[in-house]
Amino acid sequence: MMEKKIVIIPTYNEKENIEKIIRKVFSLEEKFHILVIEDGSPDGTAAIVRSLQAEFADRLFMIERKGKLGLGTAYLTGFKWSLEQGYDYIFEMDADFSHDPDDLPRLLDACRKNGADLSIGSRYSDGVSVVNWPIGRIIMSYYASVYVRTVLGFKIYDSTAGFLCYSRKVLETIDLDAVQMKGYGFQIEMKYTAHKLGFKIAEVPVIFVNRKEGTSKMSSSIFGEAFWGVIKLKFRKFSKRA
C-alpha cells in the first residue's frame, strides 16, 4: 500500500508566497500532499489557495479558521485532520521559503530509511546555518535552544525548529489535547514530549533563510511563553494517549 505524506503549512497574510511554495512542493519528485491552515488572512491568501485547488484537487487541502489563533493550534488542527485521513508522515513547514522544500525528502529519509520517529530540519546541529537573520534574532533563537538543553537536559540542538517530519505513530501516541503552549513554545513541547515518550529523534542539518516577502509573526510574548513553559515542562508527567 502506498504511503501517504502531507505537508502542513499555516498561513496568515502569505499572498506573496503561498502559490510559489505550493507549486514548489508539488514539483518535487517525491510526492507530497499539502494542507493549508488558513487563519482568516485579510490579504486574500485563502482565495489564492482555493483557485489552486481546482488544479490540484486530489493533493491540496485547506482548513479555514476565523482568525489568528496561534501557530500551535494551527498545527494541532492539522495533525488531527491528517491522522483522520490516514497519512503516514506528517510535516510542518513555513509558507515563506525560510524552509527549503528541497529538504523535505531528506527529512522523510531520516524517518523512512534511517529509523527516526521524528526528524528535525536543524539550524544548529552543524554550526549556525541561518541566512539573512538579524544578529539579535540569531542570538535569541540559538540561546533559546541552549536554554532548553540546560533546563531539560534535552540533547537537541534546535528545539524551536518548525521544519519537521513526524511519523504517524508519534502523533497518535501524544495526547494532542494536553499540549499547552500555543506559540513557538509549542515546538519545544512537542519535541520534548516525543522524547519523554521514548521516540527516536534525528536532526537533519538545513540552511534556514529569512523570509524575502511578507512579514514575520514573531513577538516578545511568544518567547515569554516559551521561557516559562520550559520550566513547567521540567516538572510535568508525560503519558501516552489513552
Side-chain angles (χ1 to χ4, degrees), residues 27-48:
S27 74
L28 298 173
E29 185 175 345
E30 187 79 52
K31 297 306 178 189
F32 299 90
H33 292 184
I34 292 174
L35 171 62
V36 175
I37 309 293
E38 214 315 281
D39 270 8
S41 300
D43 72 346
T45 299
I48 295 170

Side-chain angles (χ1 to χ4, degrees), residues 1 17 24 31 74 115 212:
M1 188 173 172
N17 296 304
K24 175 60 179 175
K31 297 306 178 189
K212 295 178 181 177

Side-chain angles (χ1 to χ4, degrees), residues 173-175 178 193 196-197 236-242:
T173 302
I174 292 174
D175 183 354
T193 303
K196 293 296 284 185
L197 293 176
R236 191 190 304 175
K237 288 185 171 64
F238 293 86
S239 57
K240 297 181 180 181
R241 183 161 58 180

Side-chain angles (χ1 to χ4, degrees), residues 208-235:
F208 179 96
V209 180
N210 194 29
R211 64 164 60 239
K212 295 178 181 177
E213 297 185 89
T215 56
S216 173
K217 315 305 187 293
M218 183 62 70
S219 70
S220 58
S221 64
I222 285 171
F223 273 93
E225 179 205 46
F227 179 87
W228 295 110
V230 166
I231 294 173
K232 292 177 183 176
L233 280 177
K234 185 174 178 65
F235 300 102

Side-chain angles (χ1 to χ4, degrees), residues 154-212:
F154 184 33
K155 307 304 182 188
I156 293 294
Y157 285 96
D158 195 355
S159 55
T160 62
F163 192 22
L164 309 171
C165 173
Y166 286 94
S167 64
R168 177 183 181 85
K169 61 184 175 182
V170 177
L171 297 179
E172 284 181 326
T173 302
I174 292 174
D175 183 354
L176 299 177
D177 291 327
V179 175
Q180 295 178 8
M181 288 192 265
K182 302 296 186 247
Y184 282 78
F186 164 83
Q187 302 290 8
I188 301 168
E189 182 175 355
M190 287 293 295
K191 295 178 188 68
Y192 187 61
T193 303
H195 163 70
K196 293 296 284 185
L197 293 176
F199 290 107
K200 181 181 177 183
I201 302 175
E203 290 191 89
V204 177
V206 299
I207 296 173
F208 179 96
V209 180
N210 194 29
R211 64 164 60 239
K212 295 178 181 177

